């Protein structure tokens, strides 16, 4: 089987069905191929999250980042919000289950806020990004914003202090200049 791209209704957002080779020893999973994902990545990291951890929604305004998200262990509900105010899907959300078992990756273009909820006991999420992390330009949206209407698996996820204090999406609707991604 070859690695395959599946488009979504969001311009530039796509799902990657990865190549998986399984035998008695275990498996080998091809997560990235320059011929398939024609994107230059220059920054990588991974997160480890326990069950019921929710991270996000995060994005960078200046030095914005495309993200390629993969789950190496466990299972997450990955969710993005289109913040490109000239986009047909502005303010809309997209959700997908990414897991070690389904071998799916999600490519998120610049201009999206990203969050995920940890469904597995141990969740190892691996990111490839096309821009460096610049905390000064990081912004976010509150995870349970009523405007987004996301049915998260838990009403009381474990959040960072920072994520508990994020503004609502309407703040960015009123201040579109804050969504000037560069």
């Amino acid at each position: 089987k070859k690695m395959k791209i599946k488009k979504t209704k969001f311009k530039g957002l796509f799902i990657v069905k990865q190549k998986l080779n399984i035998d008695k020893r275990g498996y080998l999973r091809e997560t990235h191929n320059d011929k398939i994902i024609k994107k230059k990545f220059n920054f990588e990291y991974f997160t480890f999250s326990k069950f019921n951890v929710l991270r996000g929604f995060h994005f960078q305004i200046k030095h914005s980042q495309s993200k390629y998200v993969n789950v190496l262990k466990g299972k997450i509900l990955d969710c993005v919000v289109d913040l490109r105010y000239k986009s047909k899907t502005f303010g809309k959300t997209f959700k997908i289950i990414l897991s070690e078992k389904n071998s799916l990756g999600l490519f998120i273009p610049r201009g999206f806020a990203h969050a995920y909820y940890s469904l597995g006991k141990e969740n190892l999420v691996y990111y490839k990004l096309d821009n460096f992390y610049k905390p000064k330009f990081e912004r976010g949206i509150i995870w349970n914003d009523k405007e987004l209407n996301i049915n998260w698996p838990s009403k009381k996820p474990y959040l960072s202090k920072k994520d508990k204090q994020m503004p609502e999406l309407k703040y960015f609707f009123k201040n579109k200049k804050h969504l000037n991604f560069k």
Side-chain angles (χ1 to χ4, degrees), residues 47-70:
T47 59
F48 174 81
S49 300
K50 296 175 182 177
F51 174 73
N52 198 40
V53 166
L54 195 149
R55 295 180 186 260
F57 282 94
H58 303 143
F59 61 96
Q60 274 181 196
I61 42 165
K62 285 185 184 168
H63 308 283
S64 60
Q65 300 166 305
S66 290
K67 296 177 179 179
Y68 179 39
V69 183
N70 293 282

Side-chain angles (χ1 to χ4, degrees), residues 69-82:
V69 183
N70 293 282
V71 174
L72 301 182
K73 182 178 185 176
K75 181 177 175 180
I76 65 170
L77 173 60
D78 202 300
C79 190
V80 296
V81 183
D82 189 347

Side-chain angles (χ1 to χ4, degrees), residues 2-4 16-19 30-33 36:
K2 282 180 146 179
M3 188 181 277
K4 289 184 183 145
V16 181
K17 178 64 180 155
Q18 298 167 349
K19 188 176 170 185
E30 184 181 317
T31 56
H32 177 72
N33 183 326
I36 308 292

